[in-house]
Every structure is written in C-alpha cells, then in structure tokens.
Amino acid sequence: MFNYGDVLETINMVEREHLDIRTVTMGISLLPCISGSAESTARNVYDTVCEKAENIVKVTQELSREYGIPIVNKRVSVTPAAVVCAPFADKSHLIGKALDNAAKQLGIDFLGGYSALVHKGMADYERTFINSIPEVLADTERLCSSVNIGSTKSGINMDAVKLMGETVKKTAALTAARDGFGCAKLVVFCNAVEDNPFMAGAFHGIGESGAVINVGVSGPGVVRHAVECAHGADLSELAEVIKRTAFKITRAGQLIAREAAKRLNAEFGIVDLSLAPTPTVGDSVAAILEGIGLESVGTHGTTACLAMLNDAVKKGGIMASSRVGGLSGAFIPVSEDEGMIKAAERGDLNIDKLEAMTAVCSVGLDMIAVPGETSASTISAIIADEAAIGMINNKTTAVRIIPVPNKTVGDCVDFGGLLGRAPIMPVHKLSSEKFISRGGLIPAPIHSNKN
C-alpha cells in the first residue's frame, strides 16, 4: 500500500524531477497477415494494427489522468517486416506504407518494425528488403526501421555491415531537405532484443505472443536529484541511492504496464527502465554523471561513472519487477540530452569517448550527427566497431548515425521535439574502405560456445 509519504514523493518526482512513462508500446504479430499477394497482405497488416491498437491512445490518456503520471509516447511495434515481405520482397514498400498509414490512423507517435534480422546471413529477399529502406523511410512519416547485423552467438555479418553503411548514406540523401531526418528513424543493432519498447529500434519478436504491452520508464531527472541530495556519500553508498531510486521508478512503470495490458486486451510483457534523456534542462544523463563528480561528461572517469550508474539502475529495476526487460539502463543519445549537446559543442565529448562509454551503458552510438561528406565505408566501420563491443561483451549495442547533407563540423542540426539538436561531430579522416570491402563474417567469440 502507498502511504502519504509515497504519494508526496511521487508527485514531487512528476512535477519537479521530470518523471514520466516515456512510452507505452504495443507489440503486434503480423504473421497471420501474410497472404497470397503483397496487396492483400498490406490490407491485412493495416487492418490488424488498427484493430489491435485501436484504443491505445485513449487508454494511455485515461491512465495518465488517473495516476497523475505523464505518458509521453504511444507506440506500436510489429513483427520484423522482412519476414512478412519474404514472398514479395520487391513490393516491401507496400507493407511499409500500410504500417505508416495505420500509425497515422491510430494517432501514435511512431511505429517500429520495418526491420530485418541478418546477423548470420542475408537471403536474397532480405537484401532486397534492406535496399527498400531508404525510399520507404523517405516516403513515410512515423515508420521506423532497424537491422540486426550481429550477435554474440553468430558473429558479425560484414556483408550486412557494408550494406547498412550504404543504406544510411542513401537514406540521408533522400531526406536531405530535412537534414537527413530519415536516418533518425534507422538503427543498426548487434544483439537486438525482441521486447524493446523504445524507438527507433523496437520490433515485435518472433518469440512473442500476438499482442503484448511493453512499457518504457524514464527518470534521469529523478536520479539526478537523488544524486545531488546524497551529500558526502562515497561511491558504494551512492550506488545504493541510485538503486533505490530506480526501484521506485520501475514500480510506477509496472503499475501502468499491468493496467494498460488489461484494458487493451493484451499480455503484459516487460518494463524497460531506461534513463532516456530529453533536451529539457534537468532531464539529462550527462547531468547525473556530472552530479557524481565530473566537471564535464567526456572527461576522464566518465566511463567509470556511467558503468556504476548503469549497473545500479539495472539492479534497482530487477528488484522492483520480475518482468524487467528491453534495454534497461542509461541511454546516451547526443541530440536528446541537453548535457551531452553542450559537452559536444565544447569539444569535451567526441565519438571515440562515446564509443568507450557504450561498452558499459545501454545500446550505443545514438543520434550522432556527422558531416554529410562522411563515406559509406566510414559509417560501416563505425557500425562494425560498435557491433564488436556488443558481440564481445554479450550486450545490445546499436548505431543511429546521421550524415547530415551539406553540413560539416561546426554546424548544428535541429530535429525538434524529443529528437533535439546535435552539433556535427568529426570522424576520423583515414580510410577503412579495404577492411569493409573484404565482407564475410567476423566469427563469434570463443565464449559464445556455451551449450
């Protein structure tokens, strides 16, 4: 039972510390939609998504009013579309358009799952599907795409890595009028998970049931406040403070998730406790790290502070719910974190340091803007480096990188809303072309052989 103190504490978290339910995401299986033609399958996809998620906006608005906790985003994820499109891969764009139209009809923010899983090999239909991604993202508004190119168990598919570097470049070119915005809806994964509620990488895994509710909770401001109040605490004591705070945040997420699942006639999947920042002042993972004792995020000690933070968040979440999943931890998207933006503008934070940080946080290089002239092979090499961190460390890593057309280091790009703004960050000038052109498969690490 909640006591009076608990109620006041929750109110304070919402009003002053930016606590929110970042997303309620309904995962929907599209496997029953596959029909004899692309056209009939597209109709089935549209009808299924609209039917299953018909009340998601209404229900989340009701829950937000009833419990007094903001629910920022309402989203849907679907079965990786490459599977659905396999019989007619050359018409994959019809499925993409149907999904985007369904998202508009429902009034949701984003729909994820225009995705392919090619971590061990790439069939002809999957290559054709991936080749459709740039035009589909340019031609849709709310559809998000992801491709899994590696895993600890399978290694890294370098043919897919090469193709994804080219895909990112094409997507940027086709959305040049919007500063390459299409790339903000495209994620390249290693060790992708099936129950991630966060965009742009969400998809509904093959192992999931027909309709599932996954909730993402975010509270960087709450954790920052707790850290700042822990005057004189050593690092072990501070880790306990963060863990207890994460516990409280996760409990709020579980409450919303269970009730949303009940009202939407879906299964309760997981709660993803991820410290997902926003450009709002005070809602920053960088501010937490600086509250721990760094003069600026990016300086020496940043990786160690982030490792402690990420671990404490995960421990607190697991204590609070037996259904913690997704990505759960600290995100470091540059454009979406007010503190990260300022550190990058000052030159305190660069891509190399961000890469080191991804070894200990959730996901990876996220919302990184680079010069538009950056080559496809350089982007592929960045993807390969990040995938290697995920593969070796048995964790999810990802790259969401935006080569902004006609912009270079010193410029800035503003995507607005939660996507924020990003300074154009420099990349290494030396070539990785010969490495990327070799193709093939980087073998799985020795510790993957655990059976």
Side-chain angles (χ1 to χ4, degrees):
M1 294 290 291
F2 283 102
N3 60 37
Y4 184 67
D6 292 329
V7 173
L8 289 179
E9 184 177 38
T10 302
I11 291 172
N12 192 54
M13 286 180 177
V14 171
E15 292 187 347
R16 301 182 183 181
E17 300 166 15
H18 308 291
L19 172 66
D20 59 50
I21 305 297
R22 186 55 50 86
T23 179
V24 172
T25 301
M26 174 179 277
I28 299 172
S29 174
L30 298 184
L31 294 180
C33 299
I34 300 173
S35 184
S37 69
E39 290 78 8
S40 61
T41 299
R43 289 193 295 272
N44 292 342
V45 163
Y46 176 86
D47 291 342
T48 297
V49 173
C50 288
E51 178 186 352
K52 296 280 188 182
E54 179 182 11
N55 294 316
I56 189 170
V57 173
K58 175 186 173 184
V59 166
T60 51
Q61 289 173 342
E62 290 173 352
L63 289 171
S64 182
R65 287 193 299 269
E66 290 175 23
Y67 291 99
I69 300 176
I71 299 176
V72 180
N73 297 299
K74 303 86 182 172
R75 296 167 172 172
V76 167
S77 63
V78 297
T79 306
V83 176
V84 180
C85 298
F88 30 76
D90 59 332
K91 294 185 177 180
S92 299
H93 63 283
L94 296 178
I95 307 302
K97 195 65 178 175
L99 289 169
D100 193 56
N101 288 337
K104 292 175 187 176
Q105 176 63 29
L106 294 169
I108 59 175
D109 307 278
F110 288 111
L111 188 151
Y114 197 77
S115 307
L117 309 178
V118 292
H119 39 282
K120 194 170 184 181
M122 187 162 45
D124 289 343
Y125 76 85
E126 290 168 320
R127 184 180 290 276
T128 300
F129 176 86
I130 291 172
N131 284 332
S132 77
I133 289 175
E135 290 189 6
V136 168
L137 290 183
D139 195 38
T140 55
E141 296 177 18
R142 309 184 192 197
L143 186 65
C144 294
S145 179
S146 61
V147 177
N148 192 59
I149 50 79
S151 74
T152 299
K153 201 69 179 173
S154 67
I156 302 172
N157 182 349
M158 291 301 294
D159 293 323
V161 168
K162 181 177 187 295
L163 181 57
M164 287 314 299
E166 297 164 356
T167 300
V168 169
K169 284 288 289 184
K170 290 176 185 176
T171 302
L174 289 176
T175 55
R178 293 179 286 164
D179 290 322
F181 176 72
C183 296
K185 302 188 294 173
L186 174 60
V187 183
V188 186
F189 277 115
C190 178
N191 287 323
V193 296
E194 295 189 327
D195 55 6
N196 167 25
F198 285 97
M199 299 295 168
F203 64 86
H204 185 68
I206 300 296
E208 300 281 336
S209 63
V212 176
I213 292 294
N214 298 319
V215 166
V217 188
S218 182
V222 180
V223 175
R224 177 188 59 81
H225 179 76
V227 168
E228 290 175 351
C229 290
H231 303 295
D234 65 24
L235 291 175
S236 58
E237 293 167 339
L238 194 58
E240 286 297 314
V241 169
I242 296 169
K243 187 167 69 174
R244 289 196 299 270
T245 304
F247 176 90
K248 297 171 186 176
I249 297 171
T250 306
R251 295 296 283 181
Q254 178 165 278
L255 175 67
I256 296 295
R258 287 192 180 279
E259 193 59 34
K262 185 190 303 180
R263 298 187 190 187
L264 290 168
N265 193 31
E267 291 187 17
F268 166 38
I270 56 94
V271 177
D272 183 326
L273 173 59
S274 289
L275 300 184
T278 70
T280 302
V281 175
D283 198 28
S284 163
V285 170
I288 299 173
L289 302 178
E290 290 165 2
I292 292 173
L294 304 175
E295 183 176 352
S296 170
V297 64
T299 192
H300 302 297
T302 298
T303 305
C305 289
L306 184 58
M308 184 196 73
L309 172 64
N310 204 61
D311 180 66
V313 166
K314 288 179 181 292
K315 287 174 178 173
I318 289 171
M319 287 169 59
S321 173
S322 61
R323 305 299 289 271
V324 170
L327 300 170
S328 289
F331 289 2
I332 53 171
V334 172
S335 77
E336 299 172 13
D337 187 308
E338 173 255 350
M340 298 282 181
I341 294 168
K342 290 183 177 179
E345 288 174 336
R346 292 192 301 264
D348 296 335
L349 186 64
N350 57 37
I351 290 180
D352 289 341
K353 186 60 179 181
L354 283 164
E355 182 182 298
M357 293 164 67
T358 63
V360 299
C361 76
S362 292
V363 197
L365 294 174
D366 197 12
M367 289 301 290
I368 309 290
V370 297
E373 64 182 11
T374 304
S375 68
S377 62
T378 294
I379 293 171
S380 293
I382 291 170
I383 292 169
D385 281 344
E386 198 59 32
I389 290 173
M391 177 184 71
I392 295 296
N393 291 292
N394 197 26
K395 70 184 294 291
T396 302
T397 52
V399 173
R400 186 163 46 148
I401 190 168
I402 306 157
V404 183
N406 306 314
K407 293 203 173 185
T408 189
V409 177
D411 294 332
C412 186
V413 60
D414 193 340
F415 294 115
L418 288 176
L419 294 176
R421 63 184 177 88
I424 308 300
M425 302 181 77
V427 299
H428 291 284
K429 300 292 187 182
L430 301 176
S431 174
S432 306
E433 176 69 36
K434 289 184 179 178
F435 162 59
I436 296 301
S437 65
R438 285 182 179 270
L441 185 76
I442 292 180
I446 184 64
H447 58 260
S448 69
N449 190 16
K450 291 182 177 179
N451 282 337

